[in-house]
Amino acid sequence: MARGKLRIYLGAAPGVGKTYAMLSEAHRRVERGTDCVVAFVEHHDRPRTEVMLHGLEQIPRKELEYRGTRFTEMDVDAVLERAPAVALVDELPHTNIPGSRNAKRWQDVEELLAAGIHVISTCNIQHLESLGDIVESITGIRQKETVPDEVVRRADQIELVDMSPQALRRRMAHGNIYQPNKVDAALSNYFRPGNLTALRELALLWVADRVDEYLQAYRSEHRVSKIWGSRERIVVGLTGGREGRTLIRRAARLAEKGAGGEVLAVYIARSDGLASGSTEELALQRTLIEDLGGTFHHVMGEDIPSALLEFARGVNATQIVVGSSRRKAWQYIFGPGVGATVARDSGPDLDVHIVTHDEVAKGRGLPVACGARLGRSRIIWGWLVGSVGPALLTLLLLHVGASLGLANDMLLFLMLTVSAALLGGFLPALASALVGSLLLNWFFTPPVHRLTIADPKNILALVIFVLVAISVASVVDVAARRTHQAARLRAESEILSFLAGSVLRGETTLDALLERVRETFAMEDVALLERESETAPWTCTGSVGDGSSPARPEDADVDMPVGDHMALALSGRVLPAEDRRVLAAFAAQAAVVLDRQRLQSQADHARKLAEGNHIRTALLAAVSHDLRTPLAGIKASVTTLRSDDIEWSDEDQAELLAGIEEGTDRLDHLVGNLLDMSRLQTGTVTPLLREIDLDEVVPMALGGVPEGSVVLDIPEHLPIVAVDPGLLERAVANIVENAVKYSPDGEPVLVSASALGERVEVRVADRGPGVPDVAKDRIFAPFQRYGDAPRGAGVGLGLAVARGFAEAIGGTLDAEDTPGGGMTMVLTVPIAAGHLPARPDLPAAVTS
């Protein structure tokens, strides 16, 4: 049994008219002949609402006793036994009296929906569970009766019942909501203008989010590729710290405010080592961003602010979200921090949000790894300290005049050597030691201003100074190289771990994997090349980048062989040797993904062959039955006419000839549909598109239906469409013939058309039995008919051919319910270029 549909009237505040709107809808449905009953409606002694209950069937309520008092609740069993088409259930968040069948009324509604009963209900915005804290902060009242947001979001229709705060207060003052003795208290408390305005804003924003979901679903179903409205793409810069989760949630809220917002979280690892990134925390943040519908990216970069900006511009982002610096006050002497640098260099095309968090000014945590690969600026500073520093120190000591002693002078020069080693590594420290020893000998070792040394003890002191300086520099350099290696291995392990996780998560798109390679190694182009043999030419099986991917591995800056006949080629820069280990893992995974795609392609081909076998089997059945039926009638009529032993009157002969003509027409129609379906299956339909008015094609498609069975409403002012007239005529003819076949006698089929954006919709509406939602896609499959065989005959190809022709000319064909009963086929075709309708001028202000 199909699940019932739920329609909810969502109120911005109590008293806006939700129940009245629900009862009005019930009266409209009853007038159309729908079986609609009142399962539970509370009128709260409001005269106008009570009047609306007149004329509607009400199911008696169930009485329950609780703590000596009798209460009434909806009788779920009685509603299920009555089994109406539509049931009205007021106050969806209501909590049932203890002893009821379910604890909450929305659970009762779920039972009705599961039984196939359509439900119309009501709910106020303040009763949504996720908004409880916000409503309490606005009104000062905690709502005890709530309904989960997911229950309301799953509703098939949500209609906002809204009213301005001033109008609602006037309605309250007139006594239309509460009793007169409660009006003054309500107006001065809950129904204050500020409260009502805030609740109204909450309702509008919540419904706007729901409208965005409907819009995205519509765009996906109708394959609308053009962007409608602005699309926000937000990049979140992660450091691996705990503040990342706060940044991700903030970015997700920003994305929800725009239509089709997208969030991309990026963690940038330094190529010279990781900067205090926690593997466990990154795993949690990756899961969080994926749960929120975003994507996680792991890239490498020399300079984190530059790499973050480069990534954001590469993905065409509009906003960047970074956290406030974790540096302590004294740490700002090393620079302004990542957030400030990103904000400074972002330019006018990127908005930067710097978000506060609990980790602000608590320090960086682990120190940044200093490796042997130090960056140009640090190497320059190391050489300046190692070469110029000893000279400046000598000038300072000579300017002071007072002798500090040779031992103290040597310690000062040793401090410079250690500083040079920390900044620039071994070579600047070695230069500092040599220059310092020469300056100590010339200016501070007797005899001064000569390279000779009088006291042998001073010779030993200078030798010890040089050895100590070189030893310290060597230790610092070795430690730096070890740190670099450890950090690099950690970075590689994280990348490999993420690669393995992507395999487990089923990310099998080759382009996505190649894009991951390009991001990770900061390349311009990445291509996967393959050849059949050693002498065969290379072919590109997949590539990403600016389109200038190498055609051969030897033309690339980096190539990584994968087996004997496959290679991964990268262009942009030359990678160091240690990066090739990670690249080899990516290359192996690319080969696996390619094999998997080919296996999937073979499986799809096998499935198509199976479908072809099914169609051939169905075709044999059609030939053996549906085609033989008209042939048998034609054969019988011809045999009768040729009989010599009977004299047929003119009327009998005319009737037999009419039967032959009718059978021939049926046979021609069936054969035509079979040929059309074979053309669609073999892909030989080649549309000849040209510009034409719709009213020149649609009337010609109605020649095969009885006169008076179709009402045509095609406006003359419709824009010109770009279609193949023959294919469009065949598609419309099949749709109309199907609608006339199922439409009751005396109920003509309505064929109308209208312009919608860049397309024109042709709607064919009938008043037949309709088709459930679960079967709407199945009716477009070949050799399929829903339910019992309809009046007339056919092999179930009409709608399949119509959809195939519609897609061939760049259109779509979908089925919808006709309001009041029946089915509507919606055929959309593209408007010709240069004939788009002008947008109407909107007023400067719109009032409700």
Side-chain angles (χ1 to χ4, degrees), residues 270-275 302 367-380 382 419-428 473-489 578:
R270 296 181 187 271
S271 60
D272 60 346
L274 296 176
E302 297 289 341
V368 177
C370 301
R373 231 177 249 181
L374 296 171
R376 181 176 300 177
S377 60
R378 290 191 56 178
I379 293 176
I380 292 174
S419 300
L422 292 174
L423 288 173
F426 178 74
L427 292 179
S474 299
V475 171
V476 171
D477 185 67
V478 170
R481 284 190 284 111
R482 294 290 184 269
T483 303
H484 166 72
Q485 293 173 358
R488 184 159 198 87
L489 290 174
E578 55 265 28

Side-chain angles (χ1 to χ4, degrees), residues 28 70 760:
R28 285 192 294 269
R70 300 194 67 81
V760 169

Side-chain angles (χ1 to χ4, degrees), residues 531-538 565:
R531 61 181 178 181
E532 296 180 357
S533 64
E534 296 291 340
T535 58
W538 290 95
H565 303 134

Side-chain angles (χ1 to χ4, degrees), residues 337-356:
V338 173
T341 305
V342 169
R344 181 192 64 198
D345 299 337
S346 61
D349 56 337
L350 276 172
D351 296 334
V352 179
H353 302 267
I354 299 180
V355 180
T356 59

Side-chain angles (χ1 to χ4, degrees), residues 29-30 32-37 57 82-88 117-118:
R29 297 199 181 199
V30 169
R32 295 198 302 261
T34 304
D35 182 15
C36 184
V37 302
E57 178 185 350
R82 171 64 175 78
V86 180
L88 274 60
I117 301 174
H118 301 321

Side-chain angles (χ1 to χ4, degrees), residues 58 62 116 169 211 223 302 310 364 383 408 572 666 681 692 732 758 795 821 841:
Q58 300 186 47
K62 184 177 183 179
R169 285 172 59 84
V211 171
R223 296 183 288 277
E302 297 289 341
E310 182 180 354
R364 290 189 175 190
W383 279 106
N408 291 327
R666 284 178 54 193
Q681 291 292 332
I692 192 171
V732 174
E758 299 180 0
V795 292
D841 294 332

Side-chain angles (χ1 to χ4, degrees), residues 419-440:
S419 300
L422 292 174
L423 288 173
F426 178 74
L427 292 179
L430 181 60
S432 175
L434 295 176
V435 173
S437 63
L438 292 176
L439 291 175
L440 282 171

